[in-house]
């Protein structure tokens, strides 16, 4: 039977590449999107179908525990229990800290970090009971090294890997692995939203002198989701063109 994979933020730039890659690898994929994006999700589903992918979509605000729990219940009833969870939903509210408002801090912590609890918690016990699971948290190079103008985002992304390391220890003896991927700058709407001068200066500082393509991130997720990665847990795999090494 095909494994069920849920990708939060699944219709976004990196999310789309993850969904199609996991589908190619034989998973039955469900792409989560925010309830406000239902029209976009319909279009997205048609676009994927025209490429030959049958990917389900489901609306839920992952920053709400109640809505995330409802989503997991619906997926279990319609498709079966989630075997592979990719926590990919994320937003930016970049501001120098002296200008950052509480709402910008809270939005980023709620969507990028609290969502990881909200979605992982309702799938976790089932994975332990079935003796198989893959949790993959999409963090960022900026969670590893910090970034000017991203105190909120860097805090949330660093927090994701703390969660990974703790939970990996709870899943290790039960066949459930928990890992982090830390992408560098990837060609998506999120990085396009940056000012041109800022973006060009960032690219100039990347040893590979280019951003990543979303497929290059998805390839790393495909590995961690696979049976071959059974002994990898609690890891933080950077995919950043050499931008940060440690
Ligand atoms: N280091 C040191 N100083 C810097 C700096 C840096 N990296 N960047 C800007 N500054 C300086 C500016 O030169 C300016 O100095 P002066 O006041 O002396 O002139 C000062 O900081 C303030 O700059 P701004 O007036 O431009 O401040 P702002 O609040 O309007 O904008 C910002 C700040 C929006 C955060 C802008 O700097 C920015 O967009 N930075 C990039 C943030 C970034 O990398 N975001 C990543 C988005 S993609 C993503 O997050 C995906 C992922 O995981 C990688």
């Amino acid at each position: 039977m095909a494994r069920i994979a849920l990708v939060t933020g699944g219709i976004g730039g990196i999310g789309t590449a993850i969904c199609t890659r996991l589908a190619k690898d034989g998973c039955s994929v469900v792409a989560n999107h925010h309830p406000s994006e239902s029209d976009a999700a319909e279009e997205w589903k048609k676009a994927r179908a025209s490429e030959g992918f049958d990917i389900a979509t489901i609306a839920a605000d992952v920053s709400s525990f109640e809505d995330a729990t409802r989503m997991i219940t619906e997926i279990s009833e319609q498709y079966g229990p989630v075997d592979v969870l990719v926590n990919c939903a994320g937003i930016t509210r970049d501001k120098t800290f002296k200008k950052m408002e509480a709402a910008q801090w809270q939005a980023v912590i709620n969507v990028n970090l609290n969502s990881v609890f909200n979605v992982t918690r309702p799938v976790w016990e089932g994975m332990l009971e079935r003796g198989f699971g893959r949790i993959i948290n999409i963090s960022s190079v900026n969670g590893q090294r910090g970034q000017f103008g991203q105190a909120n985002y860097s805090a949330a992304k660093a927090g994701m890997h703390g969660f990974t390391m703790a939970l990996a220890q709870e899943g290790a003896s039960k066949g459930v692995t928990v890992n982090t991927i830390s992408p560098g700058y990837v060609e998506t709407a999120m990085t396009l939203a940056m000012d041109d001068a800022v973006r060009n200066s960032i690219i100039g500082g990347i040893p590979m002198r280019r951003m990543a393509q979303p497929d290059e991130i998805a390839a790393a997720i495909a590995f961690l989701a696979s049976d071959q990665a059974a002994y990898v847990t609690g890891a933080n795999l950077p995919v950043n063109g050499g931008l940060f090494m440690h």
Side-chain angles (χ1 to χ4, degrees), residues 92 94 96 99 140 142 147-150 153 185 194 198 202:
T92 52
D94 296 354
T96 50
K99 295 187 198 162
S140 166
N142 293 343
Q147 168 63 36
F148 186 98
Q150 288 199 308
Y153 187 87
Y185 284 76
M194 284 189 295
V198 172
I202 286 170

Side-chain angles (χ1 to χ4, degrees), residues 150-220:
Q150 288 199 308
N152 47 5
Y153 187 87
S154 298
K157 293 297 187 181
M160 286 174 93
H161 188 56
F163 172 85
T164 289
M165 293 188 290
L167 205 59
Q169 297 185 28
E170 296 190 26
S173 64
K174 312 280 185 203
V176 183
T177 66
V178 188
N179 290 290
T180 299
I181 299 267
S182 288
Y185 284 76
V186 185
E187 263 187 42
T188 64
M190 187 182 272
T191 52
L192 259 183
M194 284 189 295
D195 182 82
D196 280 353
V198 172
R199 193 175 50 253
N200 289 335
S201 127
I202 286 170
I203 293 172
I206 301 171
M208 287 195 191
R209 298 284 187 269
R210 66 173 180 89
M211 290 203 193
Q213 291 303 313
D215 285 352
E216 295 177 300
I217 309 303

